Amino acid sequence: MIVKKKVHCTTSISQSELNYPSFSIPKKTSAQTYTRTVTNVGEAISTYTVKVSGLKDVEVTVNPKILKFTELNQKASYKVTVKSLDLTGHSQGFIIWSSDSDLETYIVHLEFNSSQVLSSSKDLHLWHQSFLPINSNHSSRILYSYRHVFNGFAAMLSSDEVKEMEKKPGFVSARPQQIYQMHTTHAPSFLGLHQNVGLWNASNSGKGVIIGILDCGIDPQHPSFNDNGMPKPPLKWKGKCEFNVTTYCNKKLIGARNFVQSDMFPTDNYGHGTHTSSTAAGNFVDGANFYGNANGTAVGIAPRAHVAMYKVCDAFYCLEYKILAGLDAAIEDGVDVISISIGFGHFRSPLYDDNIAIGTYSAMEKGIFVSCSAGNGGQRSGTVENGAPWILTVGASTTDRKISAVAVLGNGAEYEGESGFQPTNFSQKLLPLVNGTNCELFNTSDVKGKIVLCDSSSVLSRKDIARIVKKTGGAGMILMNEKYAGSTTFSEHDAVPTTQISYNDGQEITNYMKSTSTPVATITFKGTKIGDKHAPTVAYFSSRGPCMQSQGILKPDIIGPGVNILAAWPISIGGETTSLTFNILSGTSMSCPLLAGVAALLKSAHPDWSPAAIKSAIMTTADIINLGNDPIQDETLEPADLLTIGSGHVNPSRANDPGLIYDIQPEDYIPYLCGLNYTNDQVSAIVRKKVHCTSSIPQSELNYPSFSIPTESSPQTYTRTVTNIGEASSSYIVKVFGLKGIEVTVQPKILKFTALNQKMSYNLTVKSLDVTGHSQGYIIWSSDRHSVRSPIKVFPQNIYLESPDQLFSNSKDLLLWHQSFLPTNSNHSSRILYSYRHVFNGFAAMLSSDEVKEMEKKPGFLSARPDRLFQLHSTHSPSFLGLHQNVGLWNASNSGKGVIIGILDSGIDPQHPSFNDNGMPNPPLKWKGKCEFNVTNCNKKLIGARNFVQPGEFPIDEYGHGTHTSSTAAGNFVDGANFYGNANGTAVGIAPRAHVAMYKVCGGILCRVWMILVGIDVAIEDGVDIIVVPFGLGHPPFYDDAIAISTYSAMEKGIFVSCSAGNKGPDSGTVMNGAPWILTVGASTTDRKISAVAVLGNGSEYEGESAFQPTNFSRKLLPLVNGEDCESLNRSNVKGKIVLCYISVHPSRYSKGARVKNAGGAGMILINKKNRGSTTFSDYYVVPTAQVGYNDGQEIINYVKSTSTPVGTISFRGTTFGDKHAPTVTYYSSRGPFMPSQGILKPDIIGPGLNILAAWSIPKEGQIFHILSGTSISCPLLAGVAALLKSAHPDWSPAAIKSAIMTTADIINLRNDPIQDETLEPADLLTIGSGHVNPSRANDPGLVYDIQPEDYFPYLCGLNYTDDQISLIVSKKVHCTTSIPQSELNYPSFSIPTKSSPQTYTRTVTNVGEASSSYTVKVFGLKGVEVTVQPKILKFTALNQKASYNVTVKSLDVTGHSQGYIIWSSDRHSVRSPIKVFPHISVM
């Protein structure tokens, strides 16, 4: 009946035997075997290996374990035998057959061999195939052969295959690809472009120019790409159209390629590519609008230019090798302009490792103009991307058009905002106005029929917030910006009548609501308005300079419209049926194609102009004032600086006739690149030809249309050459303005030209009156007709030498050698600030850039760069860590006796009782340090103190931080310590019998690099055992990291170094000071609180903290009011009441308290922002206060909303102990991964760093102790632990001490749950590293992972550093003959990138426990990862005996993260190593 034919059941099989792609097997007492047959439809020659995962209480055997195929459609069978160990339970898992085709995409660079020019793509491809494994399928492995952007290819490879490839002649480099992100019409008329006149007329609207767009595809049927009025494409065009309908490509859209899915059409399924293409060069389309708004004719900037789409992105994500393939094809096809609205987050590789920079250099070299988006990382400085000087780097600004929606208040005030939803029937009756704060959660009864004020702090999108308001019955929404977004508003189409208003206007509305008990409002919708006098303003998201790849080039170059840009859209929005689909988008990815359109107009008008000439014309004619004739403003409506606007706002019409241009030929970039201290090979990789850096120039010397100049002590002179393209006979006079604190001289002051294309040069001499400050201004050359303006930015400048063959016996000889590098006519004694002897061989000096250039020619010179600024990362701890007098580790180590801790900080108060020398021994005989106080101020506790900030003055601590950190590490016992009567007891450091040496290298919280280096150099010379570095600066590569370089020298001499991880949490990738020879310390809480409990009228209590503990505060319930950010309070609203205030950066916690007090408030409940979670501070406020965590704060807010008469009070309960959540990680503690070396798990450890009571140098109201928080507090605490271990085990190396601390750390809190982060969720390994320090267990770790200094050499080589860069770090000549992956270093933790094939890493442990001992391994955690350890047992027969084991990791999911632990256990010891497995390719 089922099969519709006669069947006789002569044979049968069990159900599970059917050749089905899955298995469902009943459990039986005996083993069961099932057969499956598979057919090969993949690669003809292939091998598959089996793996079984999951399936607890079941034994599964598969035979055979390997299936080999030699042809397509070949069949092979295997058997699965299942034996159930438990017949009652269920079990599940997977059988996986994996072939070697699951490989990674590598981008391979090869040498450019000028003697072997391959005539065809086929020859090139064959040569590229010669680099692949002999037995591989070449056709499927090579993804793309690059011919133009550089010489090389993208291919699917294993790491082993790459290692083999490295041996072949012609190989340069290979690395896994990265993933980039897209940076996401009134604009032409706003820019002064009109039909048949001006630049559109002069350029024929871009006729004959081809714009190549790299994006996510295109909608070929959109009317913006009709070819009415279009000429045929130029004869040079060689591109392809990969749509299957011939009419889809035409004379407008002349090419379309798909590099994302090679067998599919390059259709835009996301919209971004269609939008950018029409922005650059869309044809005229009448009746374009956005829900009836912004109505008119849509047109691109260059409507007669041709468009070629290169689909390299899939939605937001763009794989690097596909971007390069698109670039390569665009060059080959013959485009004139390339638009790339793509970047790689905040990751800024050097130019030789930035494939967009390399690929676009090749484009520029062939005369192609490249426009790139600056990125959407603003308003933080240093976020600008795509900063190569041959690229036009474009920021985003507003136009003068708004889709207006006005908030009208009951007091008559009106505040204009924006919304794309413009209902015609919205009532103008004033409605009740309520504050929904972030509007994530509220009751219908609270908002029904009302206007809801929402802030934009929610994690929800604007559309989601609007839906919530609508769903709960709200009549409308006023969405106010957070402070960072300033005045930037968006014309989005919302689900409910809405206006988005600026931050300042939002504060006014908030103040109005506080001023009356019956606030009312409505929204007036006024449609499309033109003429905003503030325009253009810079969008808040537009990324800012300086460009970290090359600070001598001012970036961004230009800003252009990038907010609320109406352009083509491939799909219907909002359920519309019309085919005329347009959408409004914002981002620098909108302004980038717009500038590409401007470049196309200029290219059409001036076909002989080079890319640099076009760029110069755009930059030197830009506008720097707005429509109101004020300086262009940023999102705060304050004048924007040059790091925000670059040269200014594009003015296309003026760019068509610039008068003079700054031209640059491709070969001019070579000395610039050499001046970046790149190696010959690195420069050659960029320019695709062999380069020997025989000459170089400073970055600021490049003939660029703008200036970015580092300050130096002596005058600096830079030369520029301009080309006359205005009037043949013309005269230009120079004028300089701005530039406070700078003397600027220009010679000559007049440039006279007699012919077109004539070149003339001038010299600009800059003398800084203040070498620490910033300054900016303009240089303008003016003729009768032209004004050529160049912006100039002057910003605040350690010398590395090769180790000499001879060793200098004294400092005087070394200084004389260092002086030999200075100019012969200089005053050597005043110019050299410090000669470094130990951290590296070199010196710090005041030099000009010309003097550095001369110095580079001298034998022994390695590198020189300007100075930088670092920042400080700014007692119950010993007992919380299990340290008690006369027992345990304090007893075993004599409390740190004989150990010297050197602290780099802001000085010290030598008279503080924490530095008394009662019970202290004399310092060790090795001590060679100095005391720069009066003699009586140093003693047997404080044995040394130096001042490198103000030499000759006492190293007094005027700031407090250095005194606090010194006493945290090693303060002596002081009875009666307290903070305003709280946390009372005996204050004592972690190592109370250790000696302290202070090296004052910081003035306040700012610490100069050269002073830090001096401090570490002297500390090494003096004979310290431990160094504390409580500050850091980002995460540069180690060869450019002064702390990494100097602490390597310290470690090499047996000195342990403890550094703070930074206070940039909870964001990932923020950890700093991550060199593997450093202990990198995060911050956690203790179990002590200075308790202040918020008590509500409904009986609920929420414990917070405050050091202000008034004894007479009334327990009577008082009215409770919501002051929100408490920036402006009305006395009548808050007098006598408890005020809720939300944490914000401005005003500070203290200022909020002062404002509540001044307004008559009785008390304050301070509520954390979401990112701060449960981290609260025991601050001393001026008003009775409780600071509560975010979750508790939301409960209190909900209570206030639930009743018309909310009441509350604060109960002050003094110092309490026993918080079972402790230790938790503080919100500010920086998180991994460590970006310069992700194969090392950082931070290493966490330790107490919140509300730590210690000595204070600035007594206030009699308080000589103070509470501070930060990783700069946990860092000296761990240094104290290291001092105890060094005293107990004087033969242990720094790596052994570090290993002991890490492998014995705690991973559970006081209530036996996993340690939590600030959200009270289990913290991951990138947050806690190995866990929370346990000093007593660290004293007896059983096994240690030791590392000798020379073991770091192959690790550094494995980072692909050059020999010179590694030599700079280790202060000796190094040749990288061997290298290891980062994860192979003998580190106590594992951080392993996922790969498709198994990876094996070796570790060696040293027995420091019992001579005769046996350890068994156990692995737990690590979902989706198979981990095998061999051997599984380590047996020792002697102390200090070493044994090695291998860890093999196989990832079942190469895209996921996993974490767990490897534990070696003996009868007495448990040695735990965390293991983090992460995806090899990650989006930054």
Short mmCIF file of all heavy atoms in Angstrom, two decimals, residues 9-38:
data_model
loop_
_atom_site.label_atom_id
_atom_site.label_comp_id
_atom_site.label_asym_id
_atom_site.label_seq_id
_atom_site.Cartn_x
_atom_site.Cartn_y
_atom_site.Cartn_z
N CYS A 9 8.28 -9.62 2.29
CA CYS A 9 9.34 -9.30 3.26
C CYS A 9 10.24 -10.51 3.49
O CYS A 9 10.09 -11.24 4.49
CB CYS A 9 8.74 -8.82 4.56
SG CYS A 9 8.11 -7.13 4.45
N THR A 10 11.17 -10.73 2.57
CA THR A 10 12.14 -11.81 2.76
C THR A 10 13.31 -11.38 3.62
O THR A 10 13.96 -12.20 4.26
CB THR A 10 12.66 -12.27 1.40
OG1 THR A 10 13.19 -11.13 0.71
CG2 THR A 10 11.52 -12.86 0.56
N THR A 11 13.59 -10.11 3.62
CA THR A 11 14.65 -9.58 4.51
C THR A 11 14.12 -8.35 5.21
O THR A 11 13.23 -7.65 4.70
CB THR A 11 15.92 -9.18 3.74
OG1 THR A 11 15.56 -8.16 2.78
CG2 THR A 11 16.52 -10.35 3.00
N SER A 12 14.69 -8.09 6.37
CA SER A 12 14.31 -6.88 7.12
C SER A 12 15.53 -6.34 7.87
O SER A 12 16.51 -7.07 8.09
CB SER A 12 13.18 -7.18 8.11
OG SER A 12 13.64 -8.07 9.11
N ILE A 13 15.46 -5.12 8.21
CA ILE A 13 16.53 -4.51 9.03
C ILE A 13 15.88 -3.78 10.18
O ILE A 13 14.70 -3.41 10.14
CB ILE A 13 17.39 -3.51 8.21
CG1 ILE A 13 16.48 -2.41 7.59
CG2 ILE A 13 18.20 -4.20 7.12
CD1 ILE A 13 17.25 -1.26 6.95
N SER A 14 16.63 -3.56 11.22
CA SER A 14 16.12 -2.74 12.32
C SER A 14 15.98 -1.30 11.83
O SER A 14 16.64 -0.89 10.86
CB SER A 14 17.07 -2.79 13.51
OG SER A 14 18.34 -2.29 13.14
N GLN A 15 15.14 -0.54 12.49
CA GLN A 15 14.89 0.84 12.05
C GLN A 15 16.18 1.65 11.99
O GLN A 15 16.41 2.43 11.06
CB GLN A 15 13.91 1.52 13.01
CG GLN A 15 12.57 0.82 13.15
CD GLN A 15 11.76 1.41 14.28
OE1 GLN A 15 11.66 2.63 14.42
NE2 GLN A 15 11.18 0.53 15.10
N SER A 16 17.03 1.45 12.99
CA SER A 16 18.25 2.27 13.08
C SER A 16 19.28 1.92 12.02
O SER A 16 20.28 2.63 11.86
CB SER A 16 18.89 2.09 14.47
OG SER A 16 17.97 2.32 15.50
N GLU A 17 19.04 0.82 11.27
CA GLU A 17 20.00 0.39 10.25
C GLU A 17 19.78 1.10 8.91
O GLU A 17 20.64 1.05 8.02
CB GLU A 17 19.87 -1.14 10.07
CG GLU A 17 20.79 -1.76 9.02
CD GLU A 17 22.26 -1.79 9.42
OE1 GLU A 17 22.57 -1.52 10.61
OE2 GLU A 17 23.10 -2.05 8.55
N LEU A 18 18.63 1.77 8.75
CA LEU A 18 18.38 2.48 7.51
C LEU A 18 19.51 3.49 7.26
O LEU A 18 19.99 4.14 8.20
CB LEU A 18 17.04 3.22 7.59
CG LEU A 18 16.60 3.96 6.32
CD1 LEU A 18 16.32 2.98 5.18
CD2 LEU A 18 15.36 4.81 6.62
N ASN A 19 19.94 3.65 6.03
CA ASN A 19 21.09 4.50 5.67
C ASN A 19 20.68 5.98 5.77
O ASN A 19 20.68 6.74 4.79
CB ASN A 19 21.58 4.17 4.26
CG ASN A 19 23.00 4.67 4.03
OD1 ASN A 19 23.87 4.46 4.87
ND2 ASN A 19 23.23 5.32 2.91
N TYR A 20 20.36 6.37 7.01
CA TYR A 20 19.82 7.69 7.29
C TYR A 20 20.94 8.61 7.78
O TYR A 20 21.91 8.14 8.40
CB TYR A 20 18.72 7.56 8.36
CG TYR A 20 17.65 8.60 8.27
CD1 TYR A 20 16.77 8.64 7.19
CD2 TYR A 20 17.50 9.57 9.26
CE1 TYR A 20 15.77 9.60 7.10
CE2 TYR A 20 16.50 10.53 9.19
CZ TYR A 20 15.64 10.55 8.10
OH TYR A 20 14.66 11.51 8.02
N PRO A 21 20.85 9.91 7.54
CA PRO A 21 21.94 10.82 7.95
C PRO A 21 22.04 11.05 9.45
O PRO A 21 22.96 11.72 9.91
CB PRO A 21 21.60 12.14 7.23
CG PRO A 21 20.58 11.79 6.20
CD PRO A 21 19.84 10.62 6.73
N SER A 22 21.10 10.48 10.20
CA SER A 22 21.17 10.59 11.66
C SER A 22 20.92 9.22 12.27
O SER A 22 20.50 8.28 11.57
CB SER A 22 20.14 11.60 12.18
OG SER A 22 18.83 11.20 11.80
N PHE A 23 21.20 9.09 13.57
CA PHE A 23 21.05 7.82 14.27
C PHE A 23 20.09 8.00 15.44
O PHE A 23 20.21 8.98 16.20
CB PHE A 23 22.39 7.35 14.84
CG PHE A 23 23.43 6.95 13.80
CD1 PHE A 23 24.18 7.92 13.15
CD2 PHE A 23 23.65 5.61 13.49
CE1 PHE A 23 25.14 7.57 12.22
CE2 PHE A 23 24.62 5.27 12.55
CZ PHE A 23 25.36 6.24 11.91
N SER A 24 19.17 7.05 15.61
CA SER A 24 18.34 6.98 16.80
C SER A 24 18.32 5.52 17.22
O SER A 24 17.72 4.68 16.54
CB SER A 24 16.93 7.50 16.50
OG SER A 24 16.12 7.42 17.65
N ILE A 25 18.98 5.22 18.34
CA ILE A 25 19.30 3.83 18.68
C ILE A 25 18.74 3.49 20.06
O ILE A 25 19.06 4.17 21.05
CB ILE A 25 20.83 3.61 18.67
CG1 ILE A 25 21.38 3.94 17.27
CG2 ILE A 25 21.19 2.20 19.10
CD1 ILE A 25 22.89 3.93 17.18
N PRO A 26 17.93 2.42 20.17
CA PRO A 26 17.46 2.00 21.49
C PRO A 26 18.59 1.30 22.25
O PRO A 26 19.42 0.61 21.66
CB PRO A 26 16.32 1.02 21.16
CG PRO A 26 16.68 0.49 19.80
CD PRO A 26 17.36 1.60 19.08
N LYS A 27 18.63 1.52 23.57
CA LYS A 27 19.68 0.88 24.37
C LYS A 27 19.36 -0.60 24.58
O LYS A 27 18.21 -0.98 24.80
CB LYS A 27 19.81 1.59 25.71
CG LYS A 27 20.44 2.98 25.61
CD LYS A 27 20.74 3.55 26.98
CE LYS A 27 21.53 4.84 26.86
NZ LYS A 27 21.87 5.39 28.17
N LYS A 28 20.42 -1.41 24.51
CA LYS A 28 20.30 -2.84 24.75
C LYS A 28 21.46 -3.29 25.63
O LYS A 28 22.46 -2.59 25.79
CB LYS A 28 20.30 -3.61 23.42
CG LYS A 28 19.12 -3.28 22.51
CD LYS A 28 19.12 -4.14 21.26
CE LYS A 28 17.93 -3.79 20.36
NZ LYS A 28 17.93 -4.59 19.12
N THR A 29 21.31 -4.52 26.17
CA THR A 29 22.34 -5.04 27.08
C THR A 29 23.62 -5.40 26.33
O THR A 29 24.71 -5.35 26.88
CB THR A 29 21.82 -6.28 27.81
OG1 THR A 29 21.35 -7.23 26.84
CG2 THR A 29 20.68 -5.90 28.73
N SER A 30 23.48 -5.79 25.08
CA SER A 30 24.67 -6.16 24.29
C SER A 30 25.00 -5.06 23.29
O SER A 30 24.17 -4.21 22.97
CB SER A 30 24.42 -7.48 23.55
OG SER A 30 23.27 -7.37 22.72
N ALA A 31 26.23 -5.14 22.79
CA ALA A 31 26.67 -4.16 21.80
C ALA A 31 25.86 -4.32 20.51
O ALA A 31 25.50 -5.43 20.12
CB ALA A 31 28.16 -4.32 21.53
N GLN A 32 25.59 -3.18 19.83
CA GLN A 32 24.85 -3.18 18.57
C GLN A 32 25.70 -2.52 17.49
O GLN A 32 26.37 -1.53 17.75
CB GLN A 32 23.55 -2.37 18.71
CG GLN A 32 22.73 -2.69 19.95
CD GLN A 32 21.79 -1.55 20.27
OE1 GLN A 32 20.90 -1.25 19.47
NE2 GLN A 32 21.97 -0.92 21.41
N THR A 33 25.64 -3.09 16.29
CA THR A 33 26.44 -2.53 15.19
C THR A 33 25.52 -2.14 14.03
O THR A 33 24.63 -2.90 13.65
CB THR A 33 27.50 -3.54 14.71
OG1 THR A 33 28.39 -3.82 15.79
CG2 THR A 33 28.30 -2.95 13.55
N TYR A 34 25.77 -0.96 13.47
CA TYR A 34 24.97 -0.45 12.38
C TYR A 34 25.91 0.01 11.26
O TYR A 34 27.02 0.48 11.52
CB TYR A 34 24.10 0.73 12.83
CG TYR A 34 23.15 0.34 13.94
CD1 TYR A 34 23.50 0.54 15.28
CD2 TYR A 34 21.94 -0.27 13.65
CE1 TYR A 34 22.65 0.17 16.30
CE2 TYR A 34 21.07 -0.65 14.67
CZ TYR A 34 21.43 -0.43 16.00
OH TYR A 34 20.59 -0.82 17.00
N THR A 35 25.45 -0.14 10.02
CA THR A 35 26.27 0.22 8.87
C THR A 35 25.69 1.44 8.15
O THR A 35 24.46 1.55 8.02
CB THR A 35 26.36 -0.96 7.89
OG1 THR A 35 26.92 -2.08 8.57
CG2 THR A 35 27.23 -0.60 6.69
N ARG A 36 26.57 2.33 7.73
CA ARG A 36 26.16 3.46 6.90
C ARG A 36 27.07 3.51 5.67
O ARG A 36 28.25 3.14 5.72
CB ARG A 36 26.30 4.78 7.66
CG ARG A 36 25.28 4.99 8.78
CD ARG A 36 23.87 5.18 8.22
NE ARG A 36 22.93 5.65 9.22
CZ ARG A 36 22.24 4.87 10.04
NH1 ARG A 36 22.39 3.54 9.98
NH2 ARG A 36 21.40 5.40 10.93
N THR A 37 26.51 3.96 4.57
CA THR A 37 27.27 4.13 3.33
C THR A 37 27.16 5.59 2.89
O THR A 37 26.06 6.15 2.82
CB THR A 37 26.73 3.21 2.23
OG1 THR A 37 26.85 1.85 2.67
CG2 THR A 37 27.52 3.39 0.94
N VAL A 38 28.30 6.20 2.59
CA VAL A 38 28.33 7.59 2.15
C VAL A 38 28.84 7.66 0.71
O VAL A 38 29.58 6.78 0.26
CB VAL A 38 29.21 8.45 3.07
CG1 VAL A 38 28.56 8.63 4.42
CG2 VAL A 38 30.60 7.86 3.23
#
